[in-house]
Amino acid sequence: MYIIIGGAGMMGLDLAKTLLDAGHTIAVIDINPLACQYAREKIGVMAFEGSAVNTTVLLEAGIRKADAFIAALPEDALNLAIVTLSKHYQVAQILVRMSDRDFADPYQLAGATHIISTSELAIARIVNAIEYPQVDAMMHFEQGQIEVLKLSIPPVCSVVGRTIAEIARDPKFPTGTLIIGYQAHPHEDLSIPNGGTILEGGSTILAVTKPHLVHQMLDFMGLSC
């Protein structure tokens, strides 16, 4: 995909490197010449000096052929203008960084396909770390109706040596919870398990569950504090 990032701050540059490593073609736009120089020389992406809400700069950056535009400026008003212009130029995916929740509706009306609230993400991560320190990572989906947990399995645990099918049949296993990912060792790739997959101590799993079942899931795994 050809992806343009509006803003070469810390977030924009990190996104550029990550997306470039994933195989995408990346261009960044920023008014800071040093940030653009860093993007070209240190990251290896295209960089266009100027305002990301300037149509001349946008056309020079190739917005007409862009598959996605990421509005990553810290100012919501400028990001809103980027979303509006991206919609005008018929960019298929328009992602925006939101700082102020009051901009959620304007972003949607302007045509943003994905709105990422940086403050809400940070708050959620902090709260999760406090409430569930034994969970490696947790993500919320569908306005918090679904939780995806990343859990490390201790060497001695109630699920070690058991297949996923056996675990699912256990009456203490939370109903509706699914184990959707498995990594036997840190150096191995994450795989999609089946009923015959045996969980090993020291492995990592991804599990999908409901918010009210998280504590029950941790109790079953023997991971409660």
Side-chain angles (χ1 to χ4, degrees):
M1 295 175 64
Y2 180 51
I3 302 171
I4 301 176
I5 300 173
M10 184 180 296
M11 175 180 286
L13 293 174
D14 284 346
L15 280 169
K17 184 180 186 307
T18 301
L19 291 169
L20 181 68
D21 291 343
H24 299 287
T25 302
I26 307 299
V28 299
I29 302 174
D30 200 280
I31 59 173
N32 187 335
L34 293 178
C36 291
Q37 182 180 359
Y38 182 91
R40 295 188 198 101
E41 297 179 0
K42 301 298 183 181
I43 300 178
V45 299
M46 293 179 287
F48 297 85
E49 186 179 337
S51 171
V53 297
N54 183 304
T55 54
T56 300
V57 176
L58 291 173
L59 291 171
E60 183 184 359
I63 191 171
R64 293 189 187 275
K65 65 178 182 180
D67 300 295
F69 202 119
I70 303 173
L73 294 171
E75 301 88 359
D76 281 303
L78 290 177
N79 282 337
L80 182 60
I82 292 175
V83 171
T84 302
L85 289 167
S86 299
K87 183 69 173 179
H88 171 72
Y89 287 111
Q90 301 180 341
V91 179
Q93 292 192 55
I94 306 171
L95 302 88
V96 61
R97 167 191 182 179
M98 180 176 69
S99 299
D100 188 339
R101 293 184 63 182
D102 287 343
F103 278 81
D105 288 340
Y107 280 139
Q108 287 185 330
L109 290 171
T113 57
H114 297 81
I115 302 169
I116 296 91
S117 172
T118 51
S119 60
E120 289 180 1
L121 285 174
I123 290 170
R125 290 288 297 274
I126 293 170
V127 171
N128 290 341
I130 291 174
E131 288 199 21
Y132 307 107
Q134 64 276 59
V135 176
D136 297 338
M138 179 185 296
M139 293 186 67
H140 311 286
F141 292 91
E142 295 300 321
Q143 291 77 50
Q145 297 180 64
I146 297 292
E147 306 283 5
V148 177
L149 314 177
K150 180 181 179 183
L151 300 170
S152 296
I153 306 301
V156 179
C157 176
S158 63
V159 298
V160 171
R162 301 173 68 184
T163 67
I164 288 181
E166 291 172 340
I167 293 168
R169 289 193 297 266
D170 192 311
K172 295 181 181 179
F173 189 70
T175 302
T177 300
L178 297 174
I179 297 175
I180 60 171
Y182 182 64
Q183 186 180 31
H185 302 286
H187 63 274
E188 294 185 5
D189 292 335
L190 186 73
S191 63
I192 299 175
N194 56 47
T197 301
I198 299 174
L199 300 190
E200 302 178 19
S203 63
T204 300
I205 63 168
L206 292 182
V208 179
T209 191
K210 291 283 190 177
H212 67 280
L213 296 175
V214 172
H215 281 295
Q216 186 179 342
M217 174 71 174
L218 296 176
D219 287 341
F220 176 81
M221 303 289 289
L223 296 173
S224 293
C225 293

